[in-house]
Amino acid sequence: MKRWMQWLGRFWRRLFAMGGGAPLCDRCKWNYGNACRRPERPNAMTCPDFQSKR
């Protein structure tokens, strides 16, 4: 039962994820010039510093 609940949780997170798996950098307020110095840039899928432009 636990394994099924974990699978279901991952399924819902993927289904309703903002951007459908697109990199975060395109939607991040820090995506300009040298504002972001993270090595994952420009293809970060997760980022602790992410803030939406909106």
Side-chain angles (χ1 to χ4, degrees):
M1 182 72 157
K2 182 179 179 182
R3 182 181 274 176
W4 183 81
M5 292 298 286
Q6 289 173 339
W7 177 87
L8 188 59
R10 285 191 305 269
F11 171 78
W12 284 109
R13 279 192 296 275
R14 280 183 276 148
L15 185 62
F16 292 109
M18 185 175 148
L24 293 174
C25 296
D26 295 333
R27 300 181 313 267
C28 185
K29 106 179 206 182
W30 305 112
N31 188 29
Y32 66 90
N34 291 330
C36 178
R37 297 182 185 260
R38 294 217 166 252
E40 301 91 356
R41 186 172 186 248
N43 300 313
M45 299 306 276
T46 60
C47 182
D49 298 332
F50 175 77
Q51 292 183 9
S52 180
K53 288 182 182 179
R54 297 179 188 121

